Structures are given as structure tokens and as C-alpha cells.
Amino acid sequence: KEHRERSSVEHRDIHLPGPNEALAEAALLAECSRHPEAFGTWPCVFSYRLAPDGYKGGMFQAYFPGFRERYHAVAEACKRGGASTVLYTDIKQFYASISAALAERAWRQTCDAAKLENGFRKLGEKILQDHATVAKTPQPHATPHDGPAKSLGLLTGPMLSHLIGNLVLKGV
């Protein structure tokens, strides 16, 4: 993830779902995309936008058009001048900072708002519970010098994590 001169390489664990979980996530995200009023992102969010019905490029809209939109939005804000400040930021270790409880709360509140069918709601809860279990599991590369195992927070890698991250940010 990061490398500083005269320092070791920092990395983060990426957890990829197995085929069955990936298929379940895809079905869940497809259903969530049918409720953009609840699961859609704010206009200031340019990545991990759920794909609309009929989109053939994956579960999320392509990254680079959003990246280009972000660039233009920042440029336009800078051109406005005046006493305004433009803040462009990336939240370091954002997923790791999202607890299982916060992830589940964001999921449940959004399911309520969308009136999501109970089977999909429970599927999301089950996936998040499974992710929380993995997040508490000691990692194979840990050493005794790392201290006691700590939760990884929201897993990096699963597609549902991107949706949950955006739902959590809606509250900010």
C-alpha cells in the first residue's frame, strides 16, 4: 500500500470472497442498485457508484469517468475563487476504521429506508457477520512483535465493503 524511503513496505490485507459469496454479493448489489434513493451515492462521491440496471461493466460504474468528474469538480471549485477553500481528501485506513457495529447499523438503516426485501436484507447481514468473523481472525503474517490481534474493521476486497463504506460516509 505504501513505501517510505528507508522504511519497510506497508501493506494491507485484501480479502477476496469465494465464488459462492461473490455471486451472492453480486445479486445483493444488483438488488441494492434498484433502490438508488437509498443506496445511491451523494453527488460528491465519485467512486464505487452502484451500476444502474442494464449496465454491462460490473457491479459498480467504471472508475475512470468518476475520477474525471472528480477532477473537473475540483477544477471548477478552484475557478470560483473568492475566500473559498477546496478540500480534496482521502481517508487513510477508512475501511479499517469502520467497526462491525457501525457497518451493520448503516446497512440496516439503509435497508429500512429502501424497504429492501427481507431475504436480501438478511443476506447483507450474514455477509457482514461473516466479514466481522474474518476481521477478528489473527492474520498469518502477524508476528509476536505486532501485539494482540486486533479487528481489521470493514474488510478491504469484498464488493459489499465498498457499498457499506459509502453508506457510512452518507452520515458524515
Side-chain angles (χ1 to χ4, degrees), residues 4 42 59 63 71 73 76 86 93 97 106 115 117 151 170:
R4 295 195 180 108
W42 293 111
M59 293 176 272
Y63 173 76
Y71 170 81
E76 285 301 313
V86 175
Q93 297 195 4
S97 72
K115 297 179 175 51
E117 190 266 314
S151 175
K170 276 187 170 184

PDB file of all heavy atoms in Angstrom, residues 4 42 59 63 71 73 76 86 93 97 106 115 117 151 170:
ATOM      1  N   ARG A   4       7.865   4.143   2.241  1.00  0.00           N
ATOM      2  CA  ARG A   4       8.606   5.366   2.556  1.00  0.00           C
ATOM      3  C   ARG A   4      10.082   5.054   2.469  1.00  0.00           C
ATOM      4  O   ARG A   4      10.517   3.942   2.797  1.00  0.00           O
ATOM      5  CB  ARG A   4       8.234   5.850   3.954  1.00  0.00           C
ATOM      6  CG  ARG A   4       6.797   6.274   4.039  1.00  0.00           C
ATOM      7  CD  ARG A   4       6.551   7.076   5.320  1.00  0.00           C
ATOM      8  NE  ARG A   4       5.161   7.465   5.354  1.00  0.00           N
ATOM      9  CZ  ARG A   4       4.262   6.953   6.156  1.00  0.00           C
ATOM     10  NH1 ARG A   4       4.607   6.037   7.028  1.00  0.00           N
ATOM     11  NH2 ARG A   4       3.019   7.355   6.116  1.00  0.00           N
ATOM     12  N   TRP A  42     -23.902  10.182  -2.795  1.00  0.00           N
ATOM     13  CA  TRP A  42     -24.055  11.628  -2.904  1.00  0.00           C
ATOM     14  C   TRP A  42     -23.335  12.100  -4.163  1.00  0.00           C
ATOM     15  O   TRP A  42     -22.390  11.441  -4.620  1.00  0.00           O
ATOM     16  CB  TRP A  42     -23.445  12.327  -1.685  1.00  0.00           C
ATOM     17  CG  TRP A  42     -24.158  12.069  -0.394  1.00  0.00           C
ATOM     18  CD1 TRP A  42     -23.687  11.351   0.658  1.00  0.00           C
ATOM     19  CD2 TRP A  42     -25.446  12.518  -0.008  1.00  0.00           C
ATOM     20  NE1 TRP A  42     -24.603  11.322   1.667  1.00  0.00           N
ATOM     21  CE2 TRP A  42     -25.695  12.038   1.285  1.00  0.00           C
ATOM     22  CE3 TRP A  42     -26.428  13.287  -0.644  1.00  0.00           C
ATOM     23  CZ2 TRP A  42     -26.882  12.309   1.960  1.00  0.00           C
ATOM     24  CZ3 TRP A  42     -27.610  13.546   0.036  1.00  0.00           C
ATOM     25  CH2 TRP A  42     -27.825  13.059   1.322  1.00  0.00           C
ATOM     26  N   MET A  59     -20.563  -4.527 -11.215  1.00  0.00           N
ATOM     27  CA  MET A  59     -21.500  -4.152 -10.159  1.00  0.00           C
ATOM     28  C   MET A  59     -21.470  -2.653  -9.864  1.00  0.00           C
ATOM     29  O   MET A  59     -22.428  -2.090  -9.348  1.00  0.00           O
ATOM     30  CB  MET A  59     -21.179  -4.926  -8.884  1.00  0.00           C
ATOM     31  CG  MET A  59     -21.445  -6.411  -9.028  1.00  0.00           C
ATOM     32  SD  MET A  59     -20.961  -7.348  -7.568  1.00  0.00           S
ATOM     33  CE  MET A  59     -19.250  -7.691  -7.961  1.00  0.00           C
ATOM     34  N   TYR A  63     -14.585   3.235 -12.925  1.00  0.00           N
ATOM     35  CA  TYR A  63     -13.882   4.154 -12.035  1.00  0.00           C
ATOM     36  C   TYR A  63     -13.442   5.432 -12.735  1.00  0.00           C
ATOM     37  O   TYR A  63     -13.596   6.529 -12.205  1.00  0.00           O
ATOM     38  CB  TYR A  63     -12.664   3.441 -11.422  1.00  0.00           C
ATOM     39  CG  TYR A  63     -11.787   4.362 -10.610  1.00  0.00           C
ATOM     40  CD1 TYR A  63     -12.169   4.763  -9.336  1.00  0.00           C
ATOM     41  CD2 TYR A  63     -10.594   4.862 -11.123  1.00  0.00           C
ATOM     42  CE1 TYR A  63     -11.387   5.617  -8.590  1.00  0.00           C
ATOM     43  CE2 TYR A  63      -9.805   5.716 -10.390  1.00  0.00           C
ATOM     44  CZ  TYR A  63     -10.202   6.094  -9.121  1.00  0.00           C
ATOM     45  OH  TYR A  63      -9.429   6.946  -8.394  1.00  0.00           O
ATOM     46  N   TYR A  71     -12.016  15.299 -10.899  1.00  0.00           N
ATOM     47  CA  TYR A  71     -11.024  16.283 -11.338  1.00  0.00           C
ATOM     48  C   TYR A  71     -11.727  17.566 -11.793  1.00  0.00           C
ATOM     49  O   TYR A  71     -11.333  18.673 -11.400  1.00  0.00           O
ATOM     50  CB  TYR A  71     -10.179  15.708 -12.475  1.00  0.00           C
ATOM     51  CG  TYR A  71      -9.308  16.732 -13.140  1.00  0.00           C
ATOM     52  CD1 TYR A  71      -8.093  17.116 -12.568  1.00  0.00           C
ATOM     53  CD2 TYR A  71      -9.697  17.342 -14.325  1.00  0.00           C
ATOM     54  CE1 TYR A  71      -7.301  18.076 -13.166  1.00  0.00           C
ATOM     55  CE2 TYR A  71      -8.911  18.299 -14.931  1.00  0.00           C
ATOM     56  CZ  TYR A  71      -7.713  18.672 -14.349  1.00  0.00           C
ATOM     57  OH  TYR A  71      -6.937  19.621 -14.936  1.00  0.00           O
ATOM     58  N   ALA A  73     -14.748  18.638 -11.018  1.00  0.00           N
ATOM     59  CA  ALA A  73     -15.418  19.277  -9.882  1.00  0.00           C
ATOM     60  C   ALA A  73     -14.420  20.084  -9.044  1.00  0.00           C
ATOM     61  O   ALA A  73     -14.717  21.205  -8.627  1.00  0.00           O
ATOM     62  CB  ALA A  73     -16.119  18.231  -9.018  1.00  0.00           C
ATOM     63  N   GLU A  76     -13.417  23.195 -11.123  1.00  0.00           N
ATOM     64  CA  GLU A  76     -14.480  24.203 -11.103  1.00  0.00           C
ATOM     65  C   GLU A  76     -14.542  24.918  -9.757  1.00  0.00           C
ATOM     66  O   GLU A  76     -14.732  26.127  -9.694  1.00  0.00           O
ATOM     67  CB  GLU A  76     -15.833  23.570 -11.431  1.00  0.00           C
ATOM     68  CG  GLU A  76     -15.998  23.233 -12.885  1.00  0.00           C
ATOM     69  CD  GLU A  76     -15.849  24.452 -13.792  1.00  0.00           C
ATOM     70  OE1 GLU A  76     -16.455  25.514 -13.501  1.00  0.00           O
ATOM     71  OE2 GLU A  76     -15.113  24.345 -14.792  1.00  0.00           O
ATOM     72  N   VAL A  86     -10.907  24.765  -1.119  1.00  0.00           N
ATOM     73  CA  VAL A  86     -11.209  23.484  -1.733  1.00  0.00           C
ATOM     74  C   VAL A  86     -10.435  22.424  -0.971  1.00  0.00           C
ATOM     75  O   VAL A  86      -9.223  22.521  -0.827  1.00  0.00           O
ATOM     76  CB  VAL A  86     -10.816  23.467  -3.227  1.00  0.00           C
ATOM     77  CG1 VAL A  86     -11.018  22.080  -3.807  1.00  0.00           C
ATOM     78  CG2 VAL A  86     -11.618  24.502  -3.989  1.00  0.00           C
ATOM     79  N   GLN A  93      -6.887   4.573   5.837  1.00  0.00           N
ATOM     80  CA  GLN A  93      -7.373   3.389   6.541  1.00  0.00           C
ATOM     81  C   GLN A  93      -8.851   3.511   6.918  1.00  0.00           C
ATOM     82  O   GLN A  93      -9.274   3.128   8.007  1.00  0.00           O
ATOM     83  CB  GLN A  93      -6.513   3.090   7.759  1.00  0.00           C
ATOM     84  CG  GLN A  93      -5.086   2.759   7.377  1.00  0.00           C
ATOM     85  CD  GLN A  93      -4.303   2.123   8.499  1.00  0.00           C
ATOM     86  OE1 GLN A  93      -4.822   1.838   9.564  1.00  0.00           O
ATOM     87  NE2 GLN A  93      -3.043   1.865   8.234  1.00  0.00           N
ATOM     88  N   SER A  97     -11.335   1.578   9.863  1.00  0.00           N
ATOM     89  CA  SER A  97     -11.918   2.362  10.960  1.00  0.00           C
ATOM     90  C   SER A  97     -13.415   2.095  11.147  1.00  0.00           C
ATOM     91  O   SER A  97     -14.013   2.589  12.101  1.00  0.00           O
ATOM     92  CB  SER A  97     -11.699   3.861  10.707  1.00  0.00           C
ATOM     93  OG  SER A  97     -12.538   4.319   9.655  1.00  0.00           O
ATOM     94  N   ALA A 106     -25.391   0.984   9.536  1.00  0.00           N
ATOM     95  CA  ALA A 106     -25.579   1.669   8.250  1.00  0.00           C
ATOM     96  C   ALA A 106     -26.379   0.798   7.298  1.00  0.00           C
ATOM     97  O   ALA A 106     -27.265   1.286   6.581  1.00  0.00           O
ATOM     98  CB  ALA A 106     -24.224   2.031   7.645  1.00  0.00           C
ATOM     99  N   LYS A 115     -36.858  -0.102   2.104  1.00  0.00           N
ATOM    100  CA  LYS A 115     -37.843  -1.185   2.249  1.00  0.00           C
ATOM    101  C   LYS A 115     -37.373  -2.415   1.465  1.00  0.00           C
ATOM    102  O   LYS A 115     -38.136  -3.042   0.721  1.00  0.00           O
ATOM    103  CB  LYS A 115     -39.225  -0.718   1.809  1.00  0.00           C
ATOM    104  CG  LYS A 115     -39.775   0.414   2.666  1.00  0.00           C
ATOM    105  CD  LYS A 115     -41.128   0.861   2.171  1.00  0.00           C
ATOM    106  CE  LYS A 115     -41.775   1.899   3.035  1.00  0.00           C
ATOM    107  NZ  LYS A 115     -41.035   3.054   3.399  1.00  0.00           N
ATOM    108  N   GLU A 117     -36.375  -6.023   0.444  1.00  0.00           N
ATOM    109  CA  GLU A 117     -36.991  -7.325   0.714  1.00  0.00           C
ATOM    110  C   GLU A 117     -36.171  -8.058   1.779  1.00  0.00           C
ATOM    111  O   GLU A 117     -34.946  -8.003   1.786  1.00  0.00           O
ATOM    112  CB  GLU A 117     -37.056  -8.115  -0.606  1.00  0.00           C
ATOM    113  CG  GLU A 117     -37.879  -9.368  -0.539  1.00  0.00           C
ATOM    114  CD  GLU A 117     -37.040 -10.589  -0.218  1.00  0.00           C
ATOM    115  OE1 GLU A 117     -35.980 -10.743  -0.826  1.00  0.00           O
ATOM    116  OE2 GLU A 117     -37.442 -11.374   0.661  1.00  0.00           O
ATOM    117  N   SER A 151      -9.073  -6.174  15.478  1.00  0.00           N
ATOM    118  CA  SER A 151     -10.011  -6.277  14.375  1.00  0.00           C
ATOM    119  C   SER A 151      -9.537  -5.429  13.208  1.00  0.00           C
ATOM    120  O   SER A 151      -8.994  -4.344  13.388  1.00  0.00           O
ATOM    121  CB  SER A 151     -11.395  -5.816  14.832  1.00  0.00           C
ATOM    122  OG  SER A 151     -12.280  -5.810  13.737  1.00  0.00           O
ATOM    123  N   LYS A 170     -22.316   8.649   4.086  1.00  0.00           N
ATOM    124  CA  LYS A 170     -23.519   9.471   3.947  1.00  0.00           C
ATOM    125  C   LYS A 170     -23.841  10.186   5.256  1.00  0.00           C
ATOM    126  O   LYS A 170     -24.425  11.258   5.247  1.00  0.00           O
ATOM    127  CB  LYS A 170     -24.722   8.633   3.508  1.00  0.00           C
ATOM    128  CG  LYS A 170     -24.798   8.422   2.036  1.00  0.00           C
ATOM    129  CD  LYS A 170     -26.116   7.740   1.686  1.00  0.00           C
ATOM    130  CE  LYS A 170     -26.330   7.735   0.194  1.00  0.00           C
ATOM    131  NZ  LYS A 170     -27.629   7.166  -0.166  1.00  0.00           N
TER     132      LYS A 170
END
